Amino acid sequence: MTLPDPAFDYGKTYRERAVKSVAFGVSSTPRGRQKPAPIVIHKAEGAHVIDETGNRFIDYALGYGPLVLGHSPDCVLNALRAQLDLGMRTASVHKGEAELGELIADTLPCAELSSFVSSGSEAVHLALRTARAVTGKKPIIKFRGNYHGWLDNIHLATDVQNDGAGTIGQDDSASRSVTVLDWGDSDAFLNAISSDYAAVILEPVAVNGGCLYPPEGFLELVREKTKELGVILIFDEVITGYRLALGGAQQKVGVTPDLAVIGKAMGSGMPIGAIAGSAAVMEPIASGKMLHRGTFNGNPQSMAASIACISHLREHTATLYDEMDANALELEKHAIKCASQSGIEASITRTGSALQVFLGTTKIQTLSDTGKIDKELTAKFTSELLKRNVQSLSRGLIYLSSAHTQDDIETTKNAIAGAFDAVKSI
Ligand code: PMP
């Protein structure tokens, strides 16, 4: 059963209205690209979203990842309600900051001190500034296909086919001190690395590029060399932090960076970002010598949601991650079967509770292989899923939450089979 086109008419009509007062009609460009039309969400509960016309969708976009406990976890909503009853206290000192700092120090291997901001992009910015302040050097190494937010100094080579700025309008000089290398290429890294660098920043598990683990030994090598040369190793765990495991990707892969950037899942849907590292690396902020500013940094609502979310994840670690991963594995196996039955070339890769379906190629082993995918066909597949009441990211990324039920998984499996059939008949 697919949703008839009129079901998306509301989205189209709404968009015609929105573009008259909101540039591109949305608040973040990719949201405007959902096909057949962006669905306009009225309400969300558990793992479902309900649009303005009453259509219910099983949601695997999960707000681009943060909603690891689903859309309406009691623990987070109750903490937020209690916090709101205490009034809005933006830009004040409050005990939630220390409570959250303690929780992060208890759960994230690299964390001793934390520092809070309101988004992942800001946190990356803070991490780079901290690394430059602590080393007194400017150059940074980043990897092709890793995404670290939209700010000018690092928004480049976000696509393996484009080494340049991520968008028009960027100031090229802001990223002049960034060297771009292939993620997972140990030889290229060994050739480039030296003590001239302030930092190496990377996604330890490349969820943005296609849910890939790095080649064996790569992270260990980067860790060893950066330590030897006094270069700060930054893991961008904005997606993987509190999603892949309680201790993030660093716990999963057994490599501890100097600094971690976290966001998304830690806030369970509230705007938040943070960096965390040893007292030595965090010294520029801890001493007050380096400015770390922001009206909304550490706001009580985001802190309360994050405390509730991380506490819940910690309490349920023994089962929660295994259950999410098992559901993702079930969808992965099913998608592989459907792709093979339909004869469509597809690559299905998974890291824990994040699953990537790419169409147009069967072999994605490294990030550079993602240059071979058919983006348009992949977007057609996700649009066919949407017509079957299943929302993923348009680019084929599927996030699981602890709120997805076995019923949701079964319904999704039917939708996946139907979407492959539909794409085949295009
Ligand atoms: N780093 C990574 C790895 C991300 O995936 C993202 C967002 N997708 C960011 C940084 C930027 O986070 P935000 O959108 O909260 O600014």
Side-chain angles (χ1 to χ4, degrees):
M1 251 272 287
T2 62
L3 279 178
D5 276 352
F8 295 103
D9 284 353
Y10 182 87
K12 289 176 191 153
T13 311
Y14 168 77
R15 201 159 154 69
E16 278 161 23
R17 169 188 161 194
V19 292
K20 292 185 185 139
S21 60
V22 179
F24 205 49
V26 290
S27 305
S28 176
T29 315
R31 290 180 214 165
R33 303 214 162 112
Q34 191 174 35
K35 297 273 178 339
I39 54 172
V40 185
I41 309 297
H42 169 62
K43 184 179 163 181
E45 54 193 14
H48 296 181
V49 291
I50 297 130
D51 77 359
E52 287 285 356
T53 58
N55 286 309
R56 183 178 279 267
F57 297 83
I58 304 173
D59 186 26
Y60 296 94
L62 297 178
Y64 280 70
L67 304 167
V68 69
L69 302 179
H71 288 272
S72 51
D74 284 342
C75 60
V76 175
L77 294 189
N78 289 339
L80 272 171
R81 286 184 191 111
Q83 189 60 53
L84 288 174
D85 283 345
L86 299 175
M88 307 298 276
R89 292 178 287 113
T90 297
S92 62
V93 176
H94 63 100
K95 74 176 169 44
E97 294 169 287
E99 271 177 41
L100 184 55
E102 287 155 11
L103 265 177
I104 295 171
D106 278 354
T107 50
L108 201 63
C110 75
E112 188 177 350
L113 291 179
S114 290
S115 208
F116 303 113
V117 287
S118 300
S119 70
S121 297
E122 278 181 88
V124 167
H125 194 59
L126 184 61
L128 297 178
R129 182 180 288 178
T130 304
R132 284 170 168 144
V134 84
T135 58
K137 293 164 188 167
K138 276 198 190 143
I140 304 282
I141 288 179
K142 89 158 292 257
F143 295 91
R144 227 165 248 123
N146 280 185
Y147 177 72
H148 302 297
W150 64 276
L151 300 183
D152 284 10
N153 62 356
I154 199 73
H155 189 228
L156 75 163
T158 54
D159 190 312
V160 291
Q161 288 169 311
N162 171 22
D163 261 9
T167 178
I168 57 167
Q170 266 183 237
D171 175 3
D172 288 345
S173 68
S175 56
R176 209 178 285 145
S177 52
V178 180
T179 301
V180 177
L181 301 176
D182 270 336
W183 188 80
D185 185 338
S186 296
D187 291 339
F189 176 74
L190 282 174
N191 280 336
I193 190 68
S194 78
S195 57
D196 291 343
Y197 284 98
V200 173
I201 184 166
L202 54 81
E203 287 186 68
V205 173
V207 177
N208 281 309
C211 294
L212 297 167
Y213 284 103
E216 225 180 296
F218 176 68
L219 292 177
E220 288 79 0
L221 174 84
V222 174
R223 175 64 289 184
E224 193 189 311
K225 279 315 261 184
T226 47
K227 189 176 261 173
E228 182 188 314
L229 296 166
V231 177
I232 304 298
L233 176 58
I234 305 171
F235 277 5
D236 183 342
E237 295 229 41
V238 170
I239 292 181
T240 53
Y242 296 104
R243 168 165 286 286
L244 220 53
L246 186 68
Q250 51 192 279
Q251 177 192 317
K252 197 102 175 169
V253 299
V255 176
T256 306
D258 298 305
L259 264 184
V261 184
I262 48 177
K264 297 207 191 230
M266 73 180 288
S268 196
M270 287 298 283
I272 194 165
I275 66 168
S278 66
V281 176
M282 295 289 283
E283 193 278 334
I285 307 177
S287 63
K289 286 186 220 143
M290 188 193 96
L291 289 184
H292 158 232
R293 306 174 79 150
T295 306
F296 300 109
N297 294 354
N299 76 79
Q301 293 77 29
S302 295
M303 300 285 108
S306 187
I307 291 164
C309 176
I310 297 177
S311 302
H312 182 90
L313 291 170
R314 183 163 67 169
E315 201 179 318
H316 298 274
T317 311
T319 52
L320 186 142
Y321 288 100
D322 284 349
E323 283 167 14
M324 287 198 302
D325 292 6
N327 282 339
L329 175 64
E330 193 172 338
L331 293 182
E332 177 190 11
K333 284 186 179 158
H334 181 73
I336 291 172
K337 190 177 85 191
C338 294
S340 135
Q341 282 169 353
S342 68
I344 293 171
E345 279 200 318
S347 155
I348 291 129
T349 40
R350 183 177 68 87
T351 48
S353 58
L355 179 68
Q356 176 72 51
V357 179
F358 280 140
L359 267 55
T361 180
T362 47
K363 287 249 168 317
I364 301 282
Q365 270 157 357
T366 67
L367 266 189
S368 32
D369 292 338
T370 57
K372 298 180 216 153
I373 63 171
D374 186 334
K375 287 186 185 165
E376 218 172 293
L377 203 60
T378 304
K380 278 195 179 124
F381 173 78
T382 55
S383 118
E384 289 300 331
L385 280 182
L386 196 65
K387 288 188 200 168
R388 290 163 177 77
N389 298 78
V390 168
Q391 172 169 250
S392 65
L393 263 68
S394 303
R395 59 185 158 101
L397 180 56
I398 290 170
Y399 285 117
L400 274 292
S401 75
S402 63
H404 286 96
T405 62
Q406 200 51 46
D407 267 2
D408 292 331
I409 300 300
E410 290 308 321
T411 310
T412 305
K413 281 159 78 174
N414 288 334
I416 290 176
F420 271 111
D421 281 346
V423 169
K424 187 178 161 187
S425 60
I426 289 172

